[in-house]
Amino acid sequence: MRTVHLAALLLSLLLASFSLTAQESDRVRPFVLAEVAHTPLDAKRQSVKTALAQAGFSIAGEYTPYSGSHILVITDETLRKKAAASAMGGYGAALRVSLTEQNGAVQVSYTDPQWMGNVYRMAGDFTALSSRLQSALGRQSAFGSGGGRTVDNLREYHYMMFMPYFDDQVELASYDSHQAALDAVEAGLAAGKGGVSKISRVDVIGKDESLFNVAIKEGAGADAPVMKIIDQAEMRHTAHLPYDLLVSGNKVYMLHGKFRIAQSFPDLTMSTFMKISDAPDAIEQSLKMAVSGQ
């Protein structure tokens, strides 16, 4: 009889283990570590760009926010078409690949398409995109959220109670037409208004929507000082940058700063978040100046 009970207990433990493993595999994290390379950053950047091109990705823009880092904004026809299928899907029209010097090596990481597609509530599946990036760059591990997030949780993500969701976006400016909005944004970024400059522009296919990635160089929301405070983990979150502007129809939007920062740093402690408490409003003011000149 004891043998029967022991067998039942072992079976129960085994099933529980399988259940936990399955639950873990269903969880998503914001970043993927492709590899840790013992190659100079500039040389590795060239090999990464070649690998991305061979996998069918185009580089929309490049950004070096601070010494020892480099970011590639990448896109392809699939992403640009997927973006048209969802409200405000243009935020997901590009992904980001980062190279960061850390402990004498270069961390090559990228934003996980599964995370980005779901946190921006986009329609469709992102498995094929993930596979292409894995084939091109590698996939050692996912990181950026200790316990990970389920897809259902991610599609309703916010940092904590009373914090903004994806759809709590900030309208920065409104114009008479989509083209007028694009022209105003291009002009403002070219002039460096608000200490903001253009890194890339990706036009959604089949919809009047364009994603601008921008560098913020001035104020309390400037990229380098904010990242110096919040990006302290062993695995660097460099691909959090750059920030986004979305021209949708005749209006210009940004994701609320408290959402945009938190979706890349879901495990950020409140004490650390408070150290950059001025950043979300400062980012909004900088981007508003960039697109409206006010």
Side-chain angles (χ1 to χ4, degrees):
M1 191 69 175
R2 288 181 179 177
T3 302
V4 173
H5 286 314
L6 180 59
L9 177 60
L10 290 173
L11 179 60
S12 176
L13 291 172
L14 185 61
L15 290 173
S17 175
F18 280 136
S19 176
L20 288 172
T21 301
Q23 290 175 16
E24 177 66 18
S25 68
D26 288 340
R27 291 180 176 269
V28 189
R29 292 167 180 79
F31 304 103
V32 174
L33 174 65
E35 67 168 317
V36 176
H38 296 278
T39 306
L41 191 150
D42 286 344
K44 191 61 190 174
R45 177 181 61 188
Q46 293 305 316
S47 66
V48 166
K49 290 171 68 172
T50 298
L52 288 168
Q54 291 174 345
F57 293 98
S58 61
I59 297 170
E62 302 186 45
Y63 181 37
T64 298
Y66 35 81
S67 178
S69 69
H70 195 76
I71 300 161
L72 306 172
V73 179
I74 66 170
T75 189
D76 73 345
E77 186 174 335
T78 299
L79 274 168
R80 294 169 63 213
K81 286 182 176 179
K82 275 182 174 291
S86 308
M88 298 298 190
Y91 287 110
L95 296 167
R96 300 180 295 275
V97 179
S98 67
L99 297 93
T100 313
E101 292 179 342
Q102 177 76 347
N103 297 328
V106 175
Q107 296 176 0
V108 181
S109 304
Y110 52 89
T111 47
D112 191 323
Q114 297 281 10
W115 179 280
M116 303 305 290
N118 284 296
V119 82
Y120 293 153
R121 302 182 184 177
M122 296 174 71
D125 181 73
F126 290 81
T127 304
L129 273 168
S130 296
S131 296
R132 283 173 57 206
L133 276 171
Q134 180 174 344
S135 296
L137 302 180
R139 185 184 180 100
Q140 286 193 14
S141 61
F143 69 95
S145 177
R149 301 273 174 166
T150 65
V151 167
D152 288 344
N153 175 271
L154 195 54
R155 296 187 79 84
E156 292 296 328
Y157 176 74
H158 63 151
Y159 180 64
M160 60 172 54
M161 189 178 295
F162 305 122
M163 288 290 218
Y165 291 80
F166 169 70
D167 50 8
D168 292 320
Q169 294 172 36
V170 179
E171 182 180 322
L172 297 170
S174 180
Y175 293 92
D176 292 336
S177 67
H178 180 63
Q179 189 59 52
L182 289 174
D183 292 344
V185 171
E186 291 279 11
L189 295 177
K193 292 181 178 179
V196 181
S197 58
K198 176 182 171 182
I199 296 169
S200 62
R201 169 180 163 180
V202 176
D203 298 324
V204 173
I205 295 176
K207 190 177 183 181
D208 284 343
E209 208 159 82
S210 294
L211 173 71
F212 287 83
N213 285 115
V214 299
I216 304 175
K217 296 292 189 178
E218 299 176 6
D223 295 333
V226 170
M227 290 293 278
K228 186 175 181 179
I229 293 171
I230 63 177
D231 195 17
Q232 293 296 320
E234 176 66 21
M235 297 309 307
R236 294 301 199 223
H237 294 48
T238 311
H240 161 65
L241 297 174
Y243 281 95
D244 328 274
L245 289 170
L246 187 69
V247 177
S248 185
N250 67 329
K251 295 182 178 181
V252 187
Y253 299 91
M254 64 170 280
L255 293 166
H256 197 294
K258 292 178 181 177
F259 172 87
R260 179 62 174 81
I261 294 170
Q263 68 92 10
S264 291
F265 292 87
D267 292 340
L268 201 65
T269 65
M270 180 53 75
S271 63
T272 303
F273 218 135
M274 290 306 296
K275 292 178 182 178
I276 58 162
S277 59
D278 293 338
D281 287 342
I283 292 168
E284 180 179 335
Q285 290 305 311
S286 293
L287 298 187
K288 187 169 291 186
M289 289 179 65
V291 303
S292 67
Q294 297 177 1

Short mmCIF file of all heavy atoms in Angstrom, two decimals, residues 173-184 208 247-252:
data_model
loop_
_atom_site.label_atom_id
_atom_site.label_comp_id
_atom_site.label_asym_id
_atom_site.label_seq_id
_atom_site.Cartn_x
_atom_site.Cartn_y
_atom_site.Cartn_z
N ALA A 173 0.65 66.91 -30.34
CA ALA A 173 0.31 67.96 -31.29
C ALA A 173 -0.72 67.44 -32.28
O ALA A 173 -0.86 66.22 -32.46
CB ALA A 173 1.55 68.45 -32.03
N SER A 174 -1.41 68.39 -32.92
CA SER A 174 -2.40 68.05 -33.93
C SER A 174 -2.25 69.00 -35.11
O SER A 174 -2.01 70.20 -34.92
CB SER A 174 -3.82 68.15 -33.34
OG SER A 174 -4.79 67.83 -34.30
N TYR A 175 -2.39 68.46 -36.33
CA TYR A 175 -2.21 69.26 -37.54
C TYR A 175 -3.38 69.05 -38.50
O TYR A 175 -4.28 68.24 -38.23
CB TYR A 175 -0.88 68.92 -38.19
CG TYR A 175 0.30 69.35 -37.34
CD1 TYR A 175 0.87 68.47 -36.42
CD2 TYR A 175 0.80 70.64 -37.43
CE1 TYR A 175 1.93 68.88 -35.61
CE2 TYR A 175 1.85 71.06 -36.63
CZ TYR A 175 2.41 70.17 -35.72
OH TYR A 175 3.44 70.59 -34.92
N ASP A 176 -3.36 69.75 -39.60
CA ASP A 176 -4.49 69.69 -40.54
C ASP A 176 -4.54 68.39 -41.33
O ASP A 176 -5.59 68.03 -41.86
CB ASP A 176 -4.44 70.88 -41.50
CG ASP A 176 -4.71 72.22 -40.81
OD1 ASP A 176 -5.37 72.19 -39.75
OD2 ASP A 176 -4.26 73.25 -41.32
N SER A 177 -3.39 67.72 -41.46
CA SER A 177 -3.33 66.51 -42.25
C SER A 177 -2.17 65.64 -41.78
O SER A 177 -1.31 66.10 -41.00
CB SER A 177 -3.14 66.83 -43.74
OG SER A 177 -1.85 67.40 -43.96
N HIS A 178 -2.15 64.42 -42.26
CA HIS A 178 -1.04 63.52 -41.93
C HIS A 178 0.27 64.07 -42.46
O HIS A 178 1.29 64.07 -41.74
CB HIS A 178 -1.32 62.14 -42.53
CG HIS A 178 -0.25 61.12 -42.26
ND1 HIS A 178 0.08 60.69 -40.99
CD2 HIS A 178 0.59 60.45 -43.11
CE1 HIS A 178 1.06 59.80 -41.05
NE2 HIS A 178 1.38 59.63 -42.33
N GLN A 179 0.26 64.56 -43.68
CA GLN A 179 1.49 65.10 -44.26
C GLN A 179 1.98 66.33 -43.50
O GLN A 179 3.18 66.50 -43.28
CB GLN A 179 1.29 65.45 -45.74
CG GLN A 179 2.58 65.81 -46.46
CD GLN A 179 3.60 64.68 -46.43
OE1 GLN A 179 3.30 63.55 -46.77
NE2 GLN A 179 4.82 64.99 -45.98
N ALA A 180 1.05 67.18 -43.07
CA ALA A 180 1.44 68.36 -42.30
C ALA A 180 2.08 67.95 -40.98
O ALA A 180 3.05 68.58 -40.52
CB ALA A 180 0.22 69.24 -42.06
N ALA A 181 1.54 66.90 -40.37
CA ALA A 181 2.12 66.41 -39.11
C ALA A 181 3.52 65.87 -39.34
O ALA A 181 4.45 66.15 -38.56
CB ALA A 181 1.22 65.33 -38.51
N LEU A 182 3.70 65.09 -40.40
CA LEU A 182 5.03 64.56 -40.73
C LEU A 182 6.03 65.69 -40.98
O LEU A 182 7.16 65.66 -40.49
CB LEU A 182 4.95 63.66 -41.97
CG LEU A 182 4.26 62.31 -41.80
CD1 LEU A 182 4.14 61.61 -43.16
CD2 LEU A 182 5.00 61.41 -40.83
N ASP A 183 5.60 66.69 -41.75
CA ASP A 183 6.49 67.81 -42.07
C ASP A 183 6.90 68.56 -40.80
O ASP A 183 8.07 68.95 -40.65
CB ASP A 183 5.80 68.77 -43.04
CG ASP A 183 5.59 68.17 -44.43
OD1 ASP A 183 6.24 67.15 -44.74
OD2 ASP A 183 4.78 68.72 -45.19
N ALA A 184 5.95 68.76 -39.89
CA ALA A 184 6.26 69.48 -38.66
C ALA A 184 7.23 68.70 -37.78
O ALA A 184 8.17 69.28 -37.21
CB ALA A 184 4.96 69.76 -37.88
N ASP A 208 -1.81 55.51 -42.55
CA ASP A 208 -1.17 56.81 -42.33
C ASP A 208 -0.58 56.86 -40.93
O ASP A 208 -1.12 57.50 -40.01
CB ASP A 208 -2.17 57.95 -42.51
CG ASP A 208 -2.48 58.23 -43.97
OD1 ASP A 208 -1.71 57.77 -44.83
OD2 ASP A 208 -3.49 58.90 -44.24
N VAL A 247 3.38 59.38 -35.37
CA VAL A 247 2.45 60.22 -36.12
C VAL A 247 1.37 59.29 -36.66
O VAL A 247 1.64 58.44 -37.51
CB VAL A 247 3.16 60.95 -37.27
CG1 VAL A 247 2.16 61.76 -38.08
CG2 VAL A 247 4.26 61.85 -36.73
N SER A 248 0.18 59.45 -36.14
CA SER A 248 -0.95 58.61 -36.55
C SER A 248 -2.05 59.53 -37.06
O SER A 248 -2.60 60.35 -36.30
CB SER A 248 -1.47 57.77 -35.38
OG SER A 248 -2.47 56.87 -35.80
N GLY A 249 -2.36 59.43 -38.36
CA GLY A 249 -3.29 60.38 -38.94
C GLY A 249 -2.68 61.77 -38.88
O GLY A 249 -1.53 61.99 -39.26
N ASN A 250 -3.45 62.71 -38.36
CA ASN A 250 -2.96 64.09 -38.29
C ASN A 250 -2.45 64.47 -36.90
O ASN A 250 -2.22 65.65 -36.63
CB ASN A 250 -4.08 65.06 -38.70
CG ASN A 250 -5.23 65.07 -37.70
OD1 ASN A 250 -5.52 64.05 -37.07
ND2 ASN A 250 -5.90 66.20 -37.57
N LYS A 251 -2.24 63.47 -36.03
CA LYS A 251 -1.82 63.76 -34.67
C LYS A 251 -0.49 63.09 -34.34
O LYS A 251 -0.12 62.08 -34.94
CB LYS A 251 -2.90 63.30 -33.69
CG LYS A 251 -4.20 64.08 -33.84
CD LYS A 251 -5.25 63.65 -32.82
CE LYS A 251 -6.53 64.49 -32.99
NZ LYS A 251 -7.56 64.12 -31.98
N VAL A 252 0.19 63.67 -33.36
CA VAL A 252 1.49 63.15 -32.92
C VAL A 252 1.35 62.70 -31.47
O VAL A 252 0.87 63.45 -30.62
CB VAL A 252 2.59 64.22 -33.02
CG1 VAL A 252 3.95 63.60 -32.73
CG2 VAL A 252 2.58 64.88 -34.39
#
